[in-house]
Amino acid sequence: MSFESMISRRLGDPPACDKDAKALQFIEEMTQNADGVQQNVLAEILSRNAQTEYLKRFNLDGITDRETFKSVIPMVTYEDLQPLIQRIANGDRSPILSAHPISEFLTSSGTSAGERKLMPTIKEEWDRRQLLYSLLMPVMNLYVKGLDKGKGLYFLFVKTETKTPGGLLARPVLTSYYKSDHFKTRPYDPYNVYTSPNEAILCADSFQSMYTQMLCGLYERKEVLRVGAVFASGLLRAIRFLQLNWPQLTHDIRTGSLNPKVIDPSIQECMTRVLRPDPELADFVAKECVNENWEGIITRIWPNTKYLDVIVTGAMAQYIPTLDYYSGGLPLACTMYASSECYFGLNLKPMSKPSQVSYTIMPNMGYFEFLPHDPNSSGHARDSPPKLVDLVDVEIDKEYELVITTYAGLCRYRVGDILRVTGFHNSAPQFHFVRRKNVLLSIDSDKTDEGELQKAVENAIQLLHEFNTSVVEYTSYADTKTIPGHYVIYWELLVKDPTNSPSEKVLNQCCLAMEESLNSVYRQCRVADNSIGPLEIRVVKSGTFEELMDYAISRGASINQYKVPRCVSFTPIMELLDSRVVSVHFSPSLPHWTPERRR
């Protein structure tokens, strides 16, 4: 039985329209012959890029078969490719990685040497990405009916873009999408109508953009059938924005005027078609927002909302309880799996519980291989080559690291995502996203690993030397109870001269010193996006980390192998640490950040 027939029989309804039927049939065709599609994709990539500098290194001589490819092309990391990528960024237009011209760089949320990774892309990739986008609503329409009868309130934003020394744009993948004709001049689709005008989405000022999108969403509250953002953290920031700004928003609704802080001319012009005095709506919103109890606020203000469309897998799972609180337990839909390097696949059961979300890899998007995940391996690409597994040969319940080969020229590139196989749709595997490899802390799009955290602590400790004070031990956690969330670092100090101990001001400066040491994505989230709050250091009593070890040993840890965890989330451990806190300190100002990359 086909996917389309299976789902339709369960719901008792056919696809919503002919366009949906074609999209569902395409999913069937791609997944029924996943291995054949993969072989064709690989042959096409190798054939078109045969004369690139990178592939010519390996003397393929036009050979495009899988066995030869696997035997001669090594698995690589970003650091391996960085010299070539830097040449492209500096203006070298020769075919280094791709035979097609590199059109721009997509900046990854992952970092290398503290800077965002630059992922080369080519113009035709947008056709491939748009194809995946076009499959999302036909699948959703099988589960949720009537989405063509209203609108989506989506909080979407562009981020800062820069130019490389060679003149190519470097920007996040979604910023590139929102600024593309694929998005700006998209044809009317009753299943994809947003309350937010393009002018608001494309405004680079985050306050003006958020304010306008929220105002439009309030005006059209009864039309809204789904509420969303890219990440769960983004939707929670929108709710917090409403908490802080509802008096001005209701004033604008009451009077039909626009907040004087919104000065973007294109927004001002488009809002003339939206603004109208509506005292009744203003009174309603004010009544809901003035109440201290915000439980279920989403469904109270937008009563026809059927689901929330946000990513709540991986690090974003920490936001699920807060989303449930504000939405009254609405379903959380995770629709697709993508990254700056490549778009991968979609969720064929988008209304499943977050813990059960699985993404079906679409074999036409790139060539995919899978490295069996061994937590004890060193992880270096130049280790003795491990056996990579083809897309259709992965095994259920096993974990793998994703390795991709793309049309834009990445060959056997380690993405860093750890996936667990949950099943198959036809011959295409379905994966649960487990985590990003080596990521310790994450609030929004930031990803901080253990090495970065260690370096930040070491830099902050420099401020303690004149007080003859050192950090005995430390750990951390991502506090998402606040909006925006923030990093919390627990320090146990050894103060050798109590008469010259570091002051509160010094410890506050230690927080800032840590932030200055963290990568550019973290600092952009702090400075430009306001999606992360000030870093906090909690100083704990002497002996706290010995108690932590005792607790771990009491639960079965080996005293010989015990290591202090550099990140904690287990509630009893958090409670132990918080019960030993003697002082709390916050970063007193914003860290330094500019859009320009370090040369």
Side-chain angles (χ1 to χ4, degrees):
M1 185 184 298
S2 73
F3 165 65
E4 176 185 334
S5 303
M6 175 183 69
I7 300 299
S8 298
R9 176 175 292 187
R10 185 178 68 78
L11 292 175
D13 290 313
C17 58
D18 288 344
K19 187 172 128 182
D20 281 14
K22 290 178 181 177
L24 298 174
Q25 185 58 40
F26 177 78
I27 294 172
E28 286 301 287
E29 291 170 358
M30 289 295 104
T31 57
Q32 282 171 349
N33 183 30
D35 194 51
V37 173
Q38 281 281 275
Q39 291 194 61
N40 291 338
V41 165
L42 179 63
E44 186 178 3
I45 291 173
L46 294 179
S47 176
R48 65 154 60 177
N49 290 332
Q51 297 305 310
T52 60
E53 177 183 328
Y54 184 75
L55 283 183
K56 284 170 74 174
R57 290 180 180 178
F58 305 105
N59 300 313
L60 281 172
D61 296 325
I63 296 173
T64 62
D65 69 280
R66 184 153 57 187
E67 289 69 28
T68 304
F69 169 78
K70 286 174 173 285
S71 66
V72 301
I73 304 295
M75 188 168 55
V76 295
T77 64
Y78 183 79
E79 285 68 29
D80 296 319
L81 298 179
Q82 192 166 18
L84 298 178
I85 289 173
Q86 195 59 53
R87 280 174 51 199
I88 300 170
N90 289 342
D92 190 333
R93 296 292 180 263
S94 63
I96 297 173
L97 293 174
S98 170
H100 286 219
I102 300 301
S103 57
E104 64 180 311
F105 286 104
L106 302 177
T107 54
S108 169
S109 57
T111 57
S112 177
E115 294 290 335
R116 286 180 181 269
K117 296 176 181 177
L118 294 175
M119 294 299 165
T121 192
I122 55 179
K123 280 187 177 178
E124 75 169 50
E125 275 299 302
W126 274 122
D127 296 329
R128 207 166 282 109
R129 295 179 187 116
Q130 187 60 40
L131 175 60
L132 189 61
Y133 281 127
S134 74
L135 304 177
L136 302 182
M137 288 311 295
V139 172
M140 182 62 77
N141 290 337
L142 292 172
Y143 292 87
V144 183
K145 299 303 170 185
L147 292 175
D148 58 332
K149 303 298 190 289
K151 299 183 178 183
L153 169 53
Y154 282 78
F155 296 97
L156 307 175
F157 304 93
V158 296
K159 295 195 175 184
T160 305
E161 60 183 37
T162 60
K163 282 195 173 181
T164 67
L168 288 174
L169 281 172
R171 54 191 177 179
V173 61
L174 289 176
T175 296
S176 177
Y177 175 57
Y178 300 146
K179 290 190 172 187
S180 73
D181 289 338
H182 281 292
F183 182 80
K184 290 192 294 184
T185 61
R186 61 196 183 277
Y188 174 77
D189 179 352
Y191 292 95
N192 262 318
V193 180
Y194 299 145
T195 59
S196 297
N198 283 359
E199 292 84 350
I201 294 170
L202 294 171
C203 177
D205 183 275
S206 60
F207 176 86
Q208 295 182 67
S209 177
M210 177 76 85
Y211 191 93
T212 308
Q213 293 188 59
M214 183 64 75
L215 186 59
C216 292
L218 292 173
Y219 266 118
E220 301 194 69
R221 59 177 290 266
K222 292 182 180 178
E223 299 290 312
V224 170
L225 299 182
R226 50 203 171 109
V227 176
V230 177
F231 293 117
S233 56
L235 182 52
L236 291 177
R237 284 203 312 281
I239 298 302
R240 179 60 177 163
F241 186 90
L242 180 60
Q243 284 182 314
L244 295 173
N245 293 280
W246 67 262
Q248 181 65 46
L249 288 158
T250 53
H251 171 271
D252 289 4
I253 294 170
R254 189 180 309 281
T255 61
S257 60
L258 185 60
N259 186 339
K261 292 182 179 178
V262 179
I263 59 174
D264 184 286
S266 62
I267 290 181
Q268 290 177 334
E269 195 278 326
C270 82
M271 289 304 288
T272 61
R273 301 187 292 273
V274 176
L275 290 167
R276 64 185 185 278
D278 192 336
E280 184 179 348
L281 174 59
D283 289 342
F284 169 79
V285 174
K287 181 182 175 184
E288 292 296 335
C289 292
V290 77
N291 191 335
E292 288 187 7
N293 179 15
W294 275 53
E295 185 173 3
I297 192 68
I298 293 176
T299 46
R300 280 155 46 193
I301 291 184
W302 297 283
N304 299 316
T305 306
K306 300 187 179 195
Y307 64 91
L308 304 184
D309 189 349
V310 286
I311 294 172
V312 288
T313 51
M316 290 295 129
Q318 59 195 332
Y319 296 105
I320 292 172
T322 313
L323 287 172
D324 287 343
Y325 173 81
Y326 285 127
S327 73
L330 282 174
L332 303 173
C334 296
T335 56
M336 68 184 292
Y337 172 38
S339 75
S340 302
E341 296 90 338
C342 182
Y343 279 29
F344 305 117
L346 70 166
N347 183 2
L348 297 182
K349 295 180 179 179
M351 303 305 283
S352 55
K353 293 179 180 179
S355 61
Q356 298 170 349
V357 166
S358 291
Y359 300 103
T360 301
I361 299 293
M362 290 297 290
N364 59 305
M365 299 303 294
Y367 183 69
F368 304 113
E369 297 175 273
F370 299 87
L371 174 65
H373 178 54
D374 178 5
N376 297 316
S377 70
S378 67
H380 294 300
R382 296 185 182 85
D383 288 350
S384 56
K387 176 77 172 174
L388 293 185
V389 179
D390 289 325
L391 180 69
V392 298
D393 294 329
V394 295
E395 298 179 42
I396 292 176
D397 290 332
K398 288 194 174 180
E399 291 188 0
Y400 299 88
E401 181 183 347
L402 180 58
V403 178
I404 61 171
T405 297
T406 69
Y407 287 89
L410 298 178
C411 281
R412 308 196 94 183
Y413 176 84
R414 296 177 70 164
V415 175
D417 289 358
I418 305 300
L419 310 174
R420 183 174 65 252
V421 186
T422 59
F424 284 81
H425 178 71
N426 295 322
S427 61
Q430 298 175 307
F431 294 92
H432 177 73
F433 180 89
V434 178
R435 60 183 173 84
R436 284 284 296 179
K437 192 175 181 182
N438 300 327
V439 171
L440 206 63
L441 294 168
S442 179
I443 295 289
D444 190 63
S445 58
D446 56 302
K447 296 176 177 67
T448 298
D449 62 30
E450 186 170 337
E452 288 175 316
L453 182 63
Q454 175 70 28
K455 179 182 175 184
V457 170
E458 289 172 354
N459 287 344
I461 288 173
Q462 303 297 317
L463 300 178
L464 302 179
H465 287 172
E466 66 177 288
F467 302 96
N468 206 12
T469 295
S470 59
V471 174
V472 176
E473 271 300 356
Y474 71 91
T475 190
S476 65
Y477 89 102
D479 184 355
T480 56
K481 294 185 180 67
T482 61
I483 300 175
H486 69 292
Y487 288 10
V488 175
I489 316 296
Y490 293 95
W491 274 7
E492 182 177 324
L493 300 178
L494 176 59
V495 181
K496 297 174 184 174
D497 180 3
T499 64
N500 185 35
S501 59
S503 65
E504 179 179 359
K505 182 179 179 180
V506 169
L507 289 167
N508 290 343
Q509 287 297 322
C510 287
C511 297
L512 181 58
M514 286 195 66
E515 291 196 303
E516 294 283 10
S517 303
L518 293 173
N519 62 59
S520 65
V521 179
Y522 173 91
R523 288 179 282 115
Q524 179 177 345
C525 287
R526 277 280 282 127
V527 176
D529 304 338
N530 300 311
S531 58
I532 299 179
L535 183 142
E536 176 184 0
I537 289 177
R538 297 179 188 174
V539 178
V540 296
K541 292 179 180 176
S542 178
T544 297
F545 280 86
E546 283 193 28
E547 291 184 61
L548 199 63
M549 181 179 70
D550 291 341
Y551 177 80
I553 291 169
S554 74
R555 290 177 54 83
S558 165
I559 191 169
N560 294 320
Q561 296 179 312
Y562 176 78
K563 293 191 297 183
V564 173
R566 290 305 179 211
C567 183
V568 295
S569 58
F570 187 46
T571 301
I573 291 178
M574 310 284 296
E575 290 174 346
L576 188 156
L577 288 165
D578 283 333
S579 70
R580 304 296 190 273
V581 171
V582 294
S583 64
V584 173
H585 311 273
F586 288 91
S587 188
S589 59
L590 293 170
H592 176 74
W593 176 82
T594 62
E596 288 74 28
R597 296 172 62 84
R598 290 195 294 264
R599 297 287 184 256

